[in-house]
Amino acid sequence: MSEQPPYLRIADELRQRIAEHVWEPGDRLPSRAQIGQECGVGENVVRRAQELLISQGVLEGRAGSGTYVAEPRQRVRVVRSSAREQPSGSPFRQDMKALRRQSDWESRTDAKVPASAEIAARLGIIEGELCVRTTYEFLADGKPVQLSTSWEPYAVTGGTLVVLPEGGPHAGAGVVNRMAEIGVTISHAVEQPEPRHATAKEASLLGIQKAALVTHIRRTYYSDDGRPVETADIVVPAAHCEIVYEIPINR
C-alpha cells in the first residue's frame, strides 16, 4: 500500500489539533515555517495542507493576515430546478427563506456590452453584438455565498421596461418573470456544472482561498421557440454550499 502523501498527513494533524481545541474558531495558526518545523516538513507541504482544509471550510485564509480556524458555518442549500423561478421571483430568495436565513444581493448592470466569442456562441448571436451584462453577489445572513454574471441580448430587451434586470418596475423579478412581461416565454434552462479552483477575484469576493474549490455552472435560458435569451456564469464555493437538483417528473 502506498504511503499517504505528506500534505494529507499534515492536514490530518491540523484537523486533529482543531478537534482537540488546541486551536479554537477564530484563532490564527502559527506560520507555515513554524508548523513545518514542528512536523518535519517543508512550507510547501504545509501550504498544500492548509489549502485543502480551506477548500473544506475548516480553515479560512485572510489576505495579508494569515490563516485562521474557520467559524462553524452551516452549508447553504442551493436548489436548482426548472420550477424554482415561477411564480414568486428569485429562486435564491426561496432557498434562503426555506433555511430561515436572511437573503440579499448586490448587483451592477452594464448596458450595451459587446459579447465575447464564448458568450455569443452561448446566446446564438454574432460576436461583438451588444448585451446587457449584470454581475451579482448573493448574500446569506450578510455573507457572500454565490456569484453570478448574467448576459442578455440587447436585441431582446432593449427599449423595454425590463432592459435592466435590477432596475425599473420589475427589478429583481428573475429572468422567467421579466421575460414574460415582454411576451417571451421561457420553456427550459440548460445547466452545465463543473468543479474548478476559484480565481483570485472570485476568492476575494467570496472570502475564500484562491485554491478553494468552487462549482462553476453555465446556465442558459431558452424561449419556447428555442432562442437563447439569457446565459449566466454562476460560481458557488464548495465548502459553503451544497447544490441540489430537483427533477420534476411529468406523469
Side-chain angles (χ1 to χ4, degrees):
M1 182 179 294
S2 60
E3 187 177 346
Q4 185 182 44
Y7 82 95
L8 292 181
R9 176 174 62 82
I10 300 305
D12 288 342
E13 172 67 23
L14 299 182
R15 194 182 287 108
Q16 184 65 26
R17 293 187 188 186
I18 295 170
E20 294 175 353
H21 304 287
V22 175
W23 299 318
E24 299 286 351
D27 285 352
R28 180 181 177 181
L29 268 61
S31 69
R32 289 173 182 166
Q34 184 177 339
I35 294 174
Q37 186 175 13
E38 291 178 6
C39 299
V41 296
E43 290 186 40
N44 284 338
V45 173
V46 178
R47 176 183 56 79
R48 289 192 66 189
Q50 289 181 343
E51 289 176 347
L52 173 63
L53 295 180
I54 288 171
S55 72
Q56 296 172 345
V58 177
L59 298 178
E60 176 182 295
R62 302 179 189 175
S65 178
T67 304
Y68 294 75
V69 179
E71 297 286 346
R73 187 170 176 180
Q74 179 187 7
R75 295 182 81 200
V76 173
R77 184 181 176 91
V78 179
V79 179
R80 317 296 302 168
S81 170
S82 61
R84 298 294 284 181
E85 211 165 339
Q86 297 181 3
S88 56
S90 167
F92 178 76
R93 181 170 288 156
Q94 294 178 53
D95 288 338
M96 295 305 100
K97 184 177 180 181
L99 292 171
R100 298 182 180 179
R101 303 183 71 168
Q102 183 68 35
S103 65
D104 197 6
W105 59 81
E106 299 174 0
S107 66
R108 174 182 172 179
T109 296
D110 297 296
K112 299 184 178 180
V113 177
S116 65
E118 180 192 355
I119 295 301
R122 287 160 59 175
L123 288 173
I125 59 178
I126 299 173
E127 181 179 356
E129 193 169 327
L130 299 180
C131 292
V132 176
R133 180 184 64 197
T134 305
T135 57
Y136 293 90
E137 181 179 344
F138 293 93
L139 310 172
D141 294 337
K143 295 183 178 181
V145 294
Q146 181 177 312
L147 304 175
S148 178
T149 302
S150 166
W151 299 77
E152 297 177 356
Y154 188 76
V156 174
T157 61
T160 73
L161 292 177
V162 302
V163 65
L164 301 178
E166 299 299 322
H170 305 290
V175 177
V176 173
N177 296 324
R178 286 178 45 253
M179 291 295 172
E181 292 293 331
I182 58 173
V184 177
T185 301
I186 303 294
S187 64
H188 67 286
V190 174
E191 294 194 346
Q192 179 184 348
E194 63 180 22
R196 63 170 172 79
H197 294 291
T199 66
K201 182 177 180 180
E202 291 166 348
S204 177
L205 290 172
L206 290 168
I208 58 177
Q209 187 80 2
K210 181 180 178 180
L213 291 175
V214 296
T215 301
H216 178 188
I217 303 172
R218 293 178 177 85
R219 181 201 66 203
T220 303
Y221 278 114
Y222 292 84
S223 64
D224 55 4
D225 61 0
R227 179 183 183 183
V229 295
E230 189 263 5
T231 194
D233 291 294
I234 302 166
V235 178
V236 180
H240 299 159
C241 300
E242 59 179 12
I243 300 175
V244 178
Y245 280 84
E246 289 185 352
I247 310 299
I249 305 299
N250 297 321
R251 295 179 180 273

